[in-house]
Amino acid sequence: MTTAACFIIVSRNYIPIYEAEVGSAAKREDAAQLPQFILQAALDIVQDLAWTTSAMFLKAIDKFNGLVVSVYVTADHILNISKPIHFLHFIIHTRFMLLHDSRSDDGIKSFFQEVHELYIKSLLNPLYLPGSRITSSHFDTKVGALARKSL
Amino acid sequence: MHSDRLAADVPAKMPQADKAHGFMMSRTYSSPGNFDCSIGRPMRLAEIFVAAEHALKKTISNPDLQKILSSVENFEQKYMELTKGAADNYHHSWWKRYGVVLDGEIAAVCFKRGNFDLAAKSYEKVCALYAGEGWEDLLAEVLPNLAECQKSLNDEAGYLSSCVRLLSLDKGLFSSKERQAFQSEVVSLAHNEMTHHVPLDVSSLITFSGNPGPPMALCDGDTGTLSVTVWSGFPDDITLDSLSLTLMATYNADEGGKLRNSNAIVLKPGRNTITFPLPPQKPGSYVLGVLTGHIGQLTFRSHSFSKGGPADTDDFMSYEKPTRPILKVFKPRPLADLSASISSALLINETQWIGIIAQPINYSLKGAVLHIDTGPGLMIEESHSIEMESYKKAGQGSVGTENSGEATKDSSAAAKDCSPATDKHFEQLRLVSSKIEFPDWASDVSSILWIPIRAIDDKLARGSSSGAPEKQSIVDRMRTIALKLEFGISRNQIYDTTIALHFSDPFHVSTRVANQSNDSTLLLQVVTLHSQLNATLSVYDAWLDLHNGFTHAGQGNGRPISAFFPLVISPTSRAGLLFCLCLEKRTAEDENKVPPENILNIRYEIAGDRTIGAHPPATMKSNENDEDANKNLVFRSTLVLQQPVLSPCLAVGFLPLPSNSIRVGQLVTMKWRVERLKDIEEKRVPQNNDKMLYEINANSDKWMIAGRKRGHVSLDMKQGSRIVISILCMPLVAGYIHPPHLGLPGIDEVSISCSPAGCHLVCVLPPAPSSSFCVPA
């Protein structure tokens, strides 16, 4: 069971659109922004790693002081850019990133998958602008419940 | 793998400089060196220092490394070099976030050392990445450090920009006191002397948008007031010394204007409604451009539209919404119209009411001012007020409580509008400095102004002698009145027009001889009165002032019998008066004098409606009875009295042509017979010889004369003597043409009786068809 966790959804423009403190660990006052700092820096690794695999769950990609960064990417958009010789595919992801302190891949994977479903439902809302911040309290509640259930 | 890279490469990087040493990261793969020392008793610090130094020197062979580890400054220097190198490498390999982490480390160390320049550069990189990717939490940790560096470097522009960015961050990231401190920094710096006046971009803090709904509509040339919503993200009220807003035309970015509000404006946090005076703009559609202003010495600008409006407005969630037109200026169009209510002639030399219809065309005439300028020969009767009343379309006339002219029995009855209109208005206005101000009720309805005017013409009317009425020149009796209507919000709309007014005498007089006595001493002259006005004229008296050789026949004064009056003449109809005159013997002195003209005087009354045409003159306010005043109108006209040929001395007769038909090219002899009727009087014909000069006049295009056109003939002096004058001529054109005319230049026309009396025509046939052929020789 993960005790300390910070969950962030990062849009394809690298802008955080959702942020939640999950788990039961107390927040340190002297390093309040440390989870965001670590997850933001880990985006470079995600950017490279996503090219090497077609899997959506990238598992643990980075580690910091006993905290592990697990990432789950979606396949939102495929851009095809044709050049004379090469045919380039750009896959733009939405990234689900979790900073946690224990390894429980199965639980984390199921958490990510269920949050992914929740995210898709948000996208289906015609009043929600893709790429904007998710401010729905219902979404917040559901993420919390999923975290308690899976993590 | 990448998993431990962060821990290995990144030492303790603190988001806040004052926590640079507050949190130590554990190094997974670093391990402390082993000291080979036997501890018998606790060593003193100095001994530990020496032992450690000795151990390091034994284990480290590289002199550079020894030097690095020899002092904190050298260690920090090397650390900085390595960190900078690593950061550059990360940036080159597109791991910019890792590079930025190291930039943050460098910035923190430089900041601690007081090297604010380098620290600021590094912090700017970090802030740029966090701001670009929207990590406001992280930005809130680093931006205050950057602001400190900029303040220490006296970088006013950078410091102000950082303060604005701090205020633009999410409100939950800073306390109210902290945000107020940021604002006070901005304001105090703005009111101090600034070294460099750089406009501050506050697009993230002050946004603006137009009011919801359709765009403001203005007519061309109109001014107005534009209301704009300005959102302030400042935590407290902030005073703006001036505010300007640009307007851009939607189809031409170069077109547009700038609106200024020079008054000090206090922006409250949240929504504010600011009004701008709007000067006249060119026709087109406009959107909001850039908002600029001053706070003390500081110039700021914002070019972002409000995105965070309340949920009930259209601006909510309008991130990428195309700009909505805020103002629409229509193309120039007619806004008002001034026209005369009637086109028929009015009475000249009398006070008449002219009606000017003022009609707004989908535009308000509130506060309008009408300038009235009369042309030459026309004046406004200032003793009367100008009347203004609401106006309805043709067919109903004006809705007024008072008609200036008396409504007479017949013709004007139909012009009266007896239907009581619920919204009729009537008002008397005074002309002040040749202008009148419109009352408020005339703002949106058609109205008619009744202006008392008098057209002046000193010339006496002249009658004609032909049977048909001679048309007077319209230009002689036409007057103009120039009107200029100033209206609009600031009286910026001008409507200029000049209206032509026609005036006329009540009658045109023509005369003819109806009959004459055998001795030609009595003449019955018929004086025909042609009514010139669209009004009923009643003649109450008429008399002739005779001169020029005429006098009334009989014992009386020649006036028609009073029982015949009043003689009512309907509009544009005719009536006649018969006068019996006879010739008056003139003395030799009278012959030499310039005879005065014969004048017809008519006392009449006019009954009409000012809404239809001429009408009784507007009377002055006096004790005089209106009815009597109307009957005392007198019309005077000169008369041309014909004096027929009463005693011809000679008769000239055109003798019939030899054949009924003459043809072109055919020679024909034209003959005239001249007969002496009686002795010729001295003045008219030379008496001493019987030679008489004759002259034949013919149109040379139509006749060829073969013979003498002018010459003398002998006519015996006795009464009854005759002579025939003939001439050979040939017609040149076919058709009905005037024949040559025989004239007697030396004899007065009145002494010649011609037969036929006037011009006549002869029929000339085309030339006879002919055929010819040429036979070769």
Side-chain angles (χ1 to χ4, degrees):
Chain A
M1 178 68 178
T2 301
T3 54
C6 174
F7 173 64
I8 288 183
I9 301 178
V10 181
S11 73
R12 56 184 185 232
N13 296 325
Y14 301 101
I15 298 173
I17 60 174
Y18 179 75
E19 202 174 305
E21 297 286 336
V22 296
S24 55
K27 194 172 178 182
R28 293 183 61 145
E29 288 299 327
D30 56 349
Q33 309 303 332
L34 186 61
Q36 290 87 353
F37 176 74
I38 297 168
L39 292 174
Q40 196 265 348
L43 283 173
D44 285 339
I45 304 172
V46 175
Q47 191 175 309
D48 274 355
L49 205 59
W51 285 98
T52 63
T53 176
S54 61
M56 296 170 79
F57 180 48
L58 302 181
K59 298 185 183 177
I61 62 160
D62 199 5
K63 197 174 163 186
F64 183 85
N65 260 7
L67 296 174
V68 179
V69 178
S70 297
V71 176
Y72 179 96
V73 297
T74 66
D76 277 0
H77 228 64
I78 299 177
L79 286 180
N80 293 327
I81 298 176
S82 64
K83 285 193 171 180
I85 300 176
H86 302 288
F87 212 87
L88 301 177
H89 300 269
F90 288 92
I91 302 175
I92 306 173
H93 308 280
T94 299
R95 305 150 192 95
F96 298 165
M97 304 179 76
L98 184 68
L99 182 69
H100 55 95
D101 59 359
S102 65
R103 294 180 186 238
S104 170
D105 286 352
D106 291 337
I108 291 171
K109 184 178 179 180
S110 67
F111 170 74
F112 277 143
Q113 286 171 340
E114 291 189 21
V115 172
H116 189 194
E117 283 183 26
L118 205 61
Y119 175 67
I120 290 171
K121 288 176 186 172
S122 295
L123 289 179
L124 292 173
N125 182 359
L127 299 178
Y128 171 69
L129 190 67
S132 62
R133 293 192 72 88
I134 298 173
T135 56
S136 165
S137 57
H138 174 75
F139 187 90
D140 216 18
T141 308
K142 291 290 265 188
V143 165
L146 289 170
R148 283 191 295 274
K149 175 185 147 193
S150 304
L151 296 178
Chain B
M1 296 296 291
H2 303 290
S3 56
D4 291 334
R5 185 172 302 175
L6 182 64
D9 294 343
V10 179
K13 177 329 183 155
M14 292 310 301
Q16 291 180 358
D18 57 348
K19 297 179 183 174
H21 301 293
F23 184 73
M24 293 298 295
M25 292 166 45
S26 63
R27 294 180 177 274
T28 306
Y29 292 108
S30 65
S31 57
N34 294 322
F35 288 97
D36 182 14
C37 67
S38 57
I39 304 176
R41 57 172 177 84
M43 296 171 71
R44 288 191 288 277
L45 190 60
E47 292 170 344
I48 293 172
F49 181 81
V50 171
E53 192 177 0
H54 175 72
L56 279 173
K57 282 180 179 175
K58 281 179 75 174
T59 55
I60 299 171
S61 58
N62 188 304
D64 289 333
L65 188 58
Q66 283 184 1
K67 186 183 172 192
I68 288 166
L69 295 174
S70 63
S71 66
V72 174
E73 292 77 16
N74 290 334
F75 178 79
E76 278 189 358
Q77 181 66 31
K78 193 65 181 177
Y79 168 74
M80 291 287 282
E81 284 178 23
L82 292 173
T83 307
K84 181 107 181 29
D88 289 342
N89 284 335
Y90 275 128
H91 280 299
H92 288 318
S93 61
W94 291 93
W95 280 42
K96 56 183 178 180
R97 293 171 191 85
Y98 266 69
V100 157
V101 166
L102 296 181
D103 285 328
E105 289 286 332
I106 296 169
V109 174
C110 291
F111 186 79
K112 189 190 77 171
R113 284 181 177 177
N115 192 344
F116 297 114
D117 190 26
L118 288 175
K121 286 177 184 168
S122 296
Y123 275 133
E124 279 171 6
K125 286 185 189 176
V126 177
C127 290
L129 177 72
Y130 291 159
E133 296 188 345
W135 292 79
E136 288 199 350
D137 294 350
L138 301 176
L139 188 62
E141 294 290 330
V142 184
L143 199 53
N145 300 336
L146 175 61
E148 280 292 325
C149 292
Q150 288 166 332
K151 188 175 182 180
S152 302
L153 293 170
N154 286 325
D155 179 6
E156 292 166 339
Y159 182 59
L160 284 169
S161 178
S162 296
C163 290
V164 168
R165 291 166 75 183
L166 283 167
L167 287 167
S168 305
L169 295 176
D170 189 79
K171 291 176 187 173
L173 293 171
F174 295 101
S175 65
S176 298
K177 284 191 178 175
E178 286 173 320
R179 299 188 81 243
Q180 287 169 349
F182 297 145
Q183 179 176 337
S184 61
E185 286 286 305
V186 172
V187 174
S188 64
L189 199 61
H191 286 91
N192 292 338
E193 194 66 32
M194 293 179 66
T195 317
H196 304 287
H197 291 274
V198 178
L200 180 65
D201 193 329
V202 295
S203 300
S204 55
L205 212 53
I206 296 179
T207 57
F208 56 96
S209 68
N211 288 335
M216 181 179 179
L218 286 181
C219 291
D220 179 53
D222 272 352
T223 59
T225 303
L226 186 66
S227 179
V228 173
T229 301
V230 177
W231 288 85
S232 169
F234 285 100
D236 286 338
D237 292 356
I238 186 164
T239 303
L240 307 179
D241 294 324
S242 70
L243 200 60
S244 300
L245 184 61
T246 59
L247 290 178
M248 291 195 304
T250 51
Y251 294 108
N252 186 351
D254 294 332
E255 294 279 346
K258 198 165 186 178
L259 312 179
R260 292 178 202 277
N261 190 327
S262 302
N263 301 325
I265 298 167
V266 176
L267 272 188
K268 295 182 179 359
R271 186 177 189 152
N272 298 266
T273 301
I274 310 293
T275 56
F276 290 90
L278 189 61
Q281 303 290 327
K282 291 182 184 177
S285 195
Y286 293 86
V287 296
L288 294 177
V290 179
L291 186 74
T292 55
H294 286 87
I295 302 173
Q297 308 280 339
L298 178 67
T299 306
F300 68 87
R301 56 188 293 169
S302 171
H303 46 76
S304 63
F305 294 98
S306 301
K307 293 178 182 176
D312 58 349
T313 66
D314 291 339
D315 291 328
F316 187 64
M317 289 186 65
S318 60
Y319 289 98
E320 304 268 335
K321 195 174 172 182
T323 51
R324 179 168 59 86
I326 193 70
L327 171 68
K328 187 168 182 181
V329 180
F330 296 113
K331 289 181 183 174
R333 67 170 179 90
L335 302 175
D337 183 53
L338 296 172
S339 59
S341 61
I342 58 170
S343 57
S344 57
L346 298 171
L347 201 55
I348 198 164
N349 288 320
E350 300 291 345
T351 303
Q352 297 278 272
W353 294 96
I354 57 161
I356 302 295
I357 300 170
Q359 183 184 1
I361 304 174
N362 294 328
Y363 196 86
S364 175
L365 295 183
K366 187 169 183 178
V369 172
L370 180 66
H371 297 261
I372 304 171
D373 185 21
T374 55
L378 188 67
M379 54 174 276
I380 297 176
E381 287 285 351
E382 296 188 358
S383 57
H384 287 79
S385 300
I386 292 176
E387 297 175 358
M388 188 170 187
E389 55 192 8
S390 49
Y391 174 76
K392 288 188 180 177
K393 288 290 183 182
Q396 297 183 16
S398 65
V399 184
T401 58
E402 172 182 315
N403 267 339
S404 173
E406 266 189 44
T408 57
K409 301 87 183 180
D410 333 335
S411 58
S412 307
K416 257 187 162 177
D417 183 7
C418 300
S419 60
T422 56
D423 56 347
K424 63 177 184 182
H425 298 279
F426 179 84
E427 194 164 330
Q428 287 188 326
L429 308 169
R430 299 298 301 184
L431 194 68
V432 178
S433 303
S434 302
K435 58 185 179 184
I436 59 166
E437 292 189 10
F438 274 35
D440 287 343
W441 58 261
S443 301
D444 301 303
V445 295
S446 295
S447 55
I448 183 165
L449 288 107
W450 296 108
I451 306 172
I453 46 93
R454 178 195 290 262
I456 300 163
D457 190 351
D458 297 329
K459 290 186 295 186
L460 209 57
R462 302 198 70 84
S464 60
S465 61
S466 61
E470 186 176 301
K471 292 291 181 187
Q472 293 180 333
S473 170
I474 295 176
V475 177
D476 289 342
R477 295 300 176 90
M478 185 163 65
R479 302 289 184 268
T480 56
I481 186 166
L483 301 171
K484 182 169 93 167
L485 185 67
E486 291 180 345
F487 57 105
I489 296 170
S490 53
R491 288 189 189 165
N492 53 304
Q493 301 288 353
I494 306 284
Y495 179 79
D496 269 327
T497 186
T498 300
I499 295 178
L501 304 170
H502 297 278
F503 292 87
S504 174
D505 290 307
F507 307 102
H508 172 71
V509 177
S510 62
T511 60
R512 65 181 178 89
V513 175
N515 206 345
Q516 62 187 54
S517 63
N518 290 334
D519 62 356
S520 301
T521 57
L522 278 181
L523 304 167
L524 291 177
Q525 292 277 1
V526 176
V527 177
T528 306
L529 305 174
H530 304 269
S531 171
Q532 304 286 303
L533 303 173
N534 195 9
T536 301
L537 299 167
S538 301
V539 177
Y540 286 94
D541 194 6
W543 66 97
L544 289 173
D545 291 334
L546 293 174
H547 304 281
N548 204 11
F550 291 91
T551 186
H552 289 287
Q555 300 292 327
N557 56 4
R559 289 194 178 207
I561 299 172
S562 62
F564 292 154
F565 295 122
L567 174 63
V568 179
I569 306 173
S570 301
T572 64
S573 59
R574 297 186 290 175
L577 300 172
L578 191 66
F579 291 92
C580 190
L581 310 175
C582 60
L583 290 177
E584 189 180 46
K585 291 283 184 185
R586 288 187 292 176
T587 63
E589 287 179 355
D590 292 338
E591 292 290 340
N592 293 327
K593 287 179 188 172
V594 175
E597 293 177 306
N598 300 307
I599 295 177
L600 171 68
N601 302 275
I602 293 178
R603 188 164 63 85
Y604 70 99
E605 180 192 43
I606 181 170
D609 191 337
R610 66 183 184 181
T611 60
I612 297 175
H615 46 273
T619 54
M620 294 175 63
K621 294 177 183 176
S622 63
N623 295 327
E624 192 176 4
N625 190 350
D626 287 353
E627 198 172 320
D628 290 338
N630 283 338
K631 289 181 181 174
N632 285 332
L633 298 173
V634 176
F635 167 68
R636 301 175 77 226
S637 173
T638 60
L639 287 184
V640 178
L641 293 178
Q642 292 177 302
Q643 185 177 6
V645 180
L646 299 177
S647 56
C649 303
L650 292 168
V652 176
F654 182 79
L655 295 179
L657 293 170
S659 64
N660 288 333
S661 61
I662 56 175
R663 290 184 177 272
V664 172
Q666 176 187 347
L667 286 172
V668 61
T669 302
M670 298 234 171
K671 296 180 182 178
W672 295 267
R673 185 174 68 198
V674 183
E675 180 176 341
R676 192 182 295 280
L677 298 176
K678 61 178 182 182
D679 293 337
I680 298 172
E681 297 179 20
E682 287 185 7
K683 289 284 181 178
R684 298 180 183 177
V685 177
Q687 195 180 13
N688 291 330
N689 57 19
D690 59 354
K691 292 291 183 187
M692 188 171 60
L693 177 66
Y694 74 90
E695 183 180 51
I696 295 174
N697 297 311
N699 189 335
S700 59
D701 293 332
K702 298 181 182 175
W703 294 95
M704 186 183 74
I705 307 294
R708 290 186 66 182
K709 288 202 267 187
R710 188 181 172 92
H712 287 86
V713 291
S714 293
L715 182 63
D716 200 84
M717 302 300 288
K718 293 180 188 174
Q719 181 180 1
S721 56
R722 294 178 177 182
I723 188 170
V724 174
I725 299 170
S726 64
I727 196 164
L728 195 65
C729 49
M730 179 169 68
L732 300 176
V733 296
Y736 287 91
I737 57 177
H738 293 296
H741 167 73
L742 176 70
L744 303 175
I747 298 174
D748 198 353
E749 250 184 50
V750 299
S751 298
I752 303 173
S753 171
C754 291
S755 174
C759 298
H760 68 283
L761 302 169
V762 296
C763 177
V764 177
L765 297 175
S770 63
S771 62
S772 64
F773 61 91
C774 296
V775 178

